[in-house]
Amino acid sequence: LAEDLAFLDRLKRKKEEEESDDDGGNDEETDNSSNNSTSAEKEKEVTTTKKADRRHLQTMTSDSPPPNYEPFNPDLILEGITPTTNTTTSNPTETFVHISSSPTPLGPRNSIRLEGRRRFNRGLFLIDLRHMPAGCGTWPAIWLSDEANWPVNGEIDIVEGVNYQNTAKTALHTTQQCGMEEVPEGSKTGSWDTAVGIPDGKTGVPDMTFRYAKNCFVYDPHQWINQGCVATDLRTEGRSLGMPLNENGGGVYALEWDPVNSHIRTWVFSPHGRVPRNLRDALRTATEVDVGKRVAPDTNLWGLPYGHFPIGEGTNCPSGHFRNMRLVINLAFCGSVAGNRYFMDCPDKFKKFKTCEEYVASNPEELKEAYWKIRGVYVYERAWERQWSS
């Protein structure tokens, strides 16, 4: 994805140069920023998937060419210094990808989807966010899936928010025979989502038995349809997703999909001051031209994950449930989740607008927060595993 983002950067610069030539050599840059952007942040607005379809995902291996990013130092974020694009000073600059959706003439907003073309069967995925879509009617997600073969090849939701949700979760979705009933004690800091009030398939009477959502099977009769097995963050509960995350200036999400060591694990660090030193150094040096200066991320130095899913031999979930998946970043509005929860999650809005679609079509002020601001997405694999991809 790093190469995708760099490509978008070059595409915009080329467009600006062409527009400048059409204006008779005018050196003034064209401002293509959205209402949520500022001229000091060179944010790249992605409004369609087509722009990114010309490139494939690039794994950040030791011999990968560095993407065309401007200098980035997360230590400055920790010290409260806001980077700018003022090249006349010594302050560093940052390049972002900005993904948002504007109202259409008829009112509704179009959903947005950015899809990677590279397929994965393992990897360490690092996502550095400055802002994510939040608010009533929004359903943003960053996830891995092979949709043509879903749920046979599985799905892993790394970041997903619905309406005003404020706590990070990781969900796995599979076919039958993938359960998390035997997760080792002390292997994680988080807990599990719950499944209570599921209607009986024959009588329709809600089953109020308290259960944790530990079955990854999408049609488990004792969980909500497609709920899957869901780990929830406890360490930063209420501050690791949505509006609280944005108020903190974003954060870093990490997913370790590691069949060799028989687990899938997830972390979230927000604000950036909570990012472990090794992870901070890995992000800071990921685009170094001199590969010898790049710091390799080491999950053993980050503390316990909030989510731990045992997979593979000796577990209750064969690793073959997860394969051939690509990375997807999307922003949906309403739909089967945010729309169905609208009356519960947005009671004040529901008094005036009886459906989620009506609310979104009214172009409320709150939807100005419905945008992604992504500093980077980095995918790593072990050097000795790379031969498996060839």
Side-chain angles (χ1 to χ4, degrees):
L1 187 63
E3 188 172 318
D4 282 336
L5 306 189
F7 169 72
L8 295 176
D9 184 23
R10 293 194 296 272
L11 185 67
K12 180 183 178 184
R13 293 178 186 275
K14 181 178 179 181
K15 180 180 178 182
E16 291 174 346
E17 291 173 358
E18 292 173 351
E19 291 176 348
S20 177
D21 292 340
D22 293 341
D23 292 338
N26 191 337
D27 291 332
E28 183 177 353
E29 289 190 353
T30 302
D31 184 5
N32 293 325
S33 302
S34 71
N35 292 335
N36 296 314
S37 307
T38 64
S39 59
E41 291 180 323
K42 290 188 179 178
E43 298 173 338
K44 309 301 179 286
E45 183 169 13
V46 182
T47 56
T48 65
T49 302
K50 295 180 180 178
K51 291 183 180 179
D53 277 344
R54 307 181 193 180
R55 306 293 286 185
H56 60 78
L57 286 171
Q58 175 81 21
T59 54
M60 296 297 295
T61 54
S62 60
D63 58 353
S64 298
N68 185 26
Y69 277 162
E70 299 177 16
F72 167 53
N73 187 349
D75 289 341
L76 294 180
I77 302 297
L78 303 180
E79 296 166 6
I81 301 175
T82 302
T84 70
T85 54
N86 185 353
T87 57
T88 63
T89 71
S90 60
N91 289 335
T93 58
E94 286 195 306
T95 302
F96 301 94
V97 167
H98 182 103
I99 307 176
S100 64
S101 179
S102 301
T104 64
L106 297 179
R109 295 174 184 240
N110 293 320
S111 296
I112 300 169
R113 185 183 179 95
L114 181 65
E115 299 176 344
R117 301 179 69 180
R118 177 72 178 266
R119 297 286 177 168
F120 297 99
N121 291 291
R122 66 192 170 275
L124 176 62
F125 299 79
L126 307 180
I127 303 168
D128 188 0
L129 296 180
R130 293 296 185 269
H131 189 283
M132 68 174 290
C136 186
T138 62
W139 182 12
I142 300 179
W143 47 300
L144 290 158
S145 183
D146 178 7
E147 293 171 284
N149 297 287
W150 185 96
V152 175
N153 286 350
E155 175 185 333
I156 305 174
D157 300 329
I158 309 172
V159 183
E160 183 177 21
V162 176
N163 296 325
Y164 295 117
Q165 289 181 354
N166 55 24
T167 299
K169 299 180 180 181
T170 304
L172 309 187
H173 306 269
T174 69
T175 53
Q176 296 186 67
Q177 298 182 350
C178 180
M180 298 295 149
E181 294 82 9
E182 299 181 3
V183 178
E185 291 291 334
S187 64
K188 60 184 179 65
T189 63
S191 184
W192 298 98
D193 201 4
T194 58
V196 180
I198 313 301
D200 182 271
K202 295 182 179 180
T203 66
V205 177
D207 180 0
M208 301 309 295
T209 304
F210 181 88
R211 295 184 180 91
Y212 285 116
K214 294 185 178 183
N215 193 338
C216 306
F217 179 38
V218 295
Y219 300 123
D220 178 6
H222 299 298
Q223 296 181 183
W224 299 104
I225 292 179
N226 196 26
Q227 184 175 12
C229 49
V230 187
T232 61
D233 171 48
L234 289 182
R235 180 171 293 174
T236 52
E237 184 177 10
R239 296 179 288 115
S240 53
L241 193 76
M243 291 183 174
L245 178 89
N246 297 336
E247 292 169 0
N248 284 341
V252 176
Y253 292 81
L255 169 79
E256 183 182 45
W257 174 12
D258 190 355
V260 171
N261 288 308
S262 302
H263 61 233
I264 293 173
R265 303 193 297 175
T266 51
W267 293 259
V268 60
F269 303 101
S270 179
H272 282 80
R274 295 178 177 266
V275 177
R277 170 59 65 178
N278 168 261
L279 178 53
R280 228 185 310 155
D281 290 343
L283 294 173
R284 178 175 52 81
T285 62
T287 60
E288 281 282 355
V289 176
D290 183 352
V291 297
K293 294 182 179 180
R294 299 184 192 175
V295 175
D298 184 352
T299 58
N300 294 317
L301 301 177
W302 302 353
L304 290 176
Y306 79 81
H308 180 200
F309 305 86
I311 62 171
E313 187 175 353
T315 75
N316 294 324
C317 184
S319 59
H321 278 294
F322 309 96
R323 57 190 174 185
N324 196 44
M325 295 197 283
R326 63 179 176 180
L327 191 64
V328 180
I329 302 174
N330 75 274
L331 166 58
F333 296 94
C334 300
S336 61
V337 179
N340 289 343
R341 295 182 57 92
Y342 168 71
F343 75 98
M344 296 185 297
D345 295 345
C346 314
D348 292 339
K349 277 75 173 178
F350 181 68
K351 294 177 182 178
K352 183 176 182 180
F353 303 99
K354 293 307 177 182
T355 69
C356 179
E357 289 77 12
E358 290 177 5
Y359 170 72
V360 172
S362 72
N363 191 25
E365 182 75 13
E366 186 176 270
L367 284 188
K368 289 185 177 181
E369 292 298 308
Y371 67 94
W372 289 104
K373 184 176 178 182
I374 305 172
R375 173 57 197 144
V377 177
Y378 310 88
V379 182
Y380 292 81
E381 63 180 347
R382 298 184 183 91
W384 56 268
E385 290 181 324
R386 288 169 54 199
Q387 58 182 335
W388 300 349
S389 302
S390 59

